[in-house]
């Protein structure tokens, strides 16, 4: 039996799309909060295989999603470049901001040792998951990871990272290559441990002018996909250049990814008309519609399913599930998609 998500990623259009949700393991689940509260820190939580395995399995037990996504975070990679990362409660991720001068001194450390516990989590999951559930590994895309490294955390408009691209292009190119090369090793490790699909999150791909989108998003993504293929990894790769708008076209043509995740702001009809007909597409429910629930949620699910009918489509949100979503709304979504 081929898992439904793997069928779609192989180009099949199914009558009933497979479904999983970005950030499906997380604070909207009481059982997640329970495990989280027992962890020393968020990074420690990500690097404790038993805990990470448990919270990855929680949404599968409750909702029987068609895929599990490894519990980890895109901000583990800066640690392999010798940078400190910590999470402050209520404030999100913190890093020491990186200057152009700092970049010259960066080196890739022992990725397989530093992130070895994540490999162990993947190995645990590949044994523990039900036979029909696909296992998705992931990493942040180099541009998005670089924005957090340069800014020292989240930021409103990624000003320092954008400025560094224009002002210190060589430093920026070096940083993206280093992140990409560390990410290749990290994803190779995940694939060898049992991840069947790999996803690249480029959460800050929005608002970049064409040359920058090419250099900062498309090329580094291509470098990762080529590196994986050169290492013999054949898994499908889902790219998520969130907010890319019309830049999704060049991304589809040149990044080398197998499939693309679409954010909820992208016009569905435009996507169907402009993106390759055979390319599997994932998305694109507004997380706020899931929060709202009720008839509006049902109607929006119907719209999305009908729009993508006849095309290879995986149902998902256009961005991560929010902590305020009632569990009952997720149950409603799964029932609706499965016609139960
Ligand atoms: O205290 C908590 O429980 C923190 C919440 C949380 C969770 C559940 C964070 C902090 N990370 C995660 C897990 C996580 N992050 C996963 C696990 C698997 C799943 O999806 O269930 C994944 C895939 C991510 C990816 C991630 N982390 C992204 C890309 C996707 C997206 O949402 O855009 C980004 C940008 C991050 C950084 C991050 N991690 C956590 C926070 C608060 C942030 C900052 C987000 C921001 O800057 O707005």
């Amino acid at each position: 039996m081929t898992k439904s998500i793997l069928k779609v990623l192989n180009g099949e259009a199914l009558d009933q799309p497979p479904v999983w949700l970005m950030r499906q393991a997380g604070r909207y689940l009481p059982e997640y909060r329970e495990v989280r509260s027992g962890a020393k820190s968020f990074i420690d939580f990500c690097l404790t295989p038993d805990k990470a395995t448990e919270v990855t399995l929680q949404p599968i037990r409750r909702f029987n999603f068609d895929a599990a996504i490894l519990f980890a975070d895109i901000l583990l990679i800066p640690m392999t470049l010798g940078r400190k990362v910590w999470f402050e409660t209520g404030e999100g991720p913190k890093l020491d901001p990186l200057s152009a001068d700092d970049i010259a001194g960066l080196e890739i450390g022992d990725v397989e040792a530093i992130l070895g516990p994540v490999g162990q989590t993947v190995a645990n999951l590949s044994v523990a998951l039900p036979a029909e559930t696909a296992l998705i590994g992931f990493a942040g895309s180099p541009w998005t990871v670089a924005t957090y490294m340069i800014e020292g955390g989240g930021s409103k408009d990624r000003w320092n990272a954008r400025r560094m691209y224009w002002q210190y292009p060589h430093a920026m190119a070096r940083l993206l290559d280093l992140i990409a090369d560390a990410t290749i090793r990290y994803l190779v490790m995940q694939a060898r441990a049992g991840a069947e699909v790999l996803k690249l999150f480029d959460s800050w791909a929005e608002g970049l002018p064409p040359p920058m989108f090419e250099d900062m998003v498309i090329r580094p993504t291509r470098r990762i996909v080529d590196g994986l293929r050169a290492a013999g990894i054949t898994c499908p790769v889902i790219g998520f250049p969130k907010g890319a708008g019309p830049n999704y076209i060049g991304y589809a043509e040149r990044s080398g990814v197998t499939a693309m995740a679409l954010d909820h702001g992208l016009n569905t009809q435009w996507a169907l008309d402009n993106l390759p007909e055979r390319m599997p597409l994932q998305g694109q429910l507004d997380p706020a519609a899931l929060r709202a629930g009720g008839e509006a949620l049902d109607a929006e699910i119907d719209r999305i399913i009908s729009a993508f009918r006849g095309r290879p489509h995986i149902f998902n949100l256009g961005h991560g599930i929010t902590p305020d979503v009632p569990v009952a709304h997720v149950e409603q979504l799964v029932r609706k998609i499965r016609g139960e």
Side-chain angles (χ1 to χ4, degrees), residues 20-27 32 36 42 45 69-75 87 92-93 138 144 148 154 201 203-204 240 242 319-320:
W20 68 280
L21 300 180
M22 281 189 258
R23 292 277 178 103
Q24 64 190 20
R27 287 173 295 172
Y32 170 90
R36 172 81 171 91
F42 182 71
F45 181 16
I69 182 161
L70 160 72
F71 185 82
D73 198 81
I74 66 161
L75 295 174
F87 279 77
F138 75 94
T144 289
Y148 285 96
F201 286 89
S203 305
W204 300 119
F240 182 35
K242 182 173 183 288
H319 199 197

Side-chain angles (χ1 to χ4, degrees), residues 21-237:
L21 300 180
M22 281 189 258
R23 292 277 178 103
Q24 64 190 20
R27 287 173 295 172
Y28 73 106
L29 289 178
E31 61 269 34
Y32 170 90
R33 293 195 297 268
E34 171 81 33
V35 179
R36 172 81 171 91
S37 68
K40 236 180 27 216
S41 69
F42 182 71
I43 296 288
D44 206 65
F45 181 16
C46 292
L47 295 178
T48 306
D50 287 352
K51 287 193 161 71
T53 303
E54 169 58 20
V55 300
T56 304
L57 292 171
Q58 286 172 346
I60 307 304
R61 289 190 199 113
R62 251 192 207 266
F63 311 112
N64 191 24
F65 287 126
D66 295 290
I69 182 161
L70 160 72
F71 185 82
D73 198 81
I74 66 161
L75 295 174
L76 300 179
I77 276 288
M79 294 164 50
T80 70
L81 299 174
R83 307 299 291 181
K84 261 205 342 237
V85 183
W86 65 101
F87 279 77
E88 275 171 23
T89 327
E91 279 189 59
K94 298 275 180 218
L95 300 92
D96 295 320
L98 192 67
S99 69
D101 284 346
D102 295 332
I103 291 172
L106 292 182
E107 273 175 42
I108 303 179
D110 191 346
V111 178
E112 295 74 11
I114 299 166
L115 300 182
V118 178
Q120 185 58 52
T121 302
V122 173
N124 293 352
L125 287 165
S126 67
V127 176
L129 281 168
E132 67 277 14
T133 315
L135 176 55
I136 304 176
F138 75 94
S141 298
W143 163 249
T144 289
V145 174
T147 66
Y148 285 96
M149 292 178 75
I150 295 166
E151 304 287 346
S155 70
K156 207 174 77 146
D157 54 12
R158 281 80 64 201
W159 180 258
N160 297 304
R162 285 161 52 209
R163 195 186 61 161
M164 199 184 288
Y165 168 79
W166 298 108
Q167 201 168 359
Y168 302 105
H170 296 294
M172 199 60 181
R174 173 170 157 78
L175 176 61
L176 269 82
D177 284 351
L178 287 169
I179 299 171
D181 291 349
T183 301
I184 292 166
R185 285 170 56 180
Y186 181 43
L187 292 176
V188 166
M189 178 182 80
Q190 293 183 30
R192 291 194 180 139
E196 301 167 284
V197 176
L198 298 171
K199 181 164 176 187
L200 290 168
F201 286 89
D202 224 338
S203 305
W204 300 119
E206 184 173 355
L208 305 183
M212 199 173 167
F213 190 82
E214 200 70 35
D215 292 344
M216 296 287 100
V217 175
I218 295 180
R219 272 216 226 117
T221 304
R222 177 98 223 178
R223 186 178 177 104
I224 293 176
V225 175
D226 288 349
L228 291 169
R229 301 310 180 221
I233 304 301
T234 57
C235 308
V237 177

Side-chain angles (χ1 to χ4, degrees), residues 253-269:
E253 286 169 352
R254 294 187 295 285
S255 71
V257 300
T258 317
M260 296 192 303
L262 311 181
D263 61 83
H264 45 283
L266 192 70
N267 182 284
T268 309
Q269 195 55 51

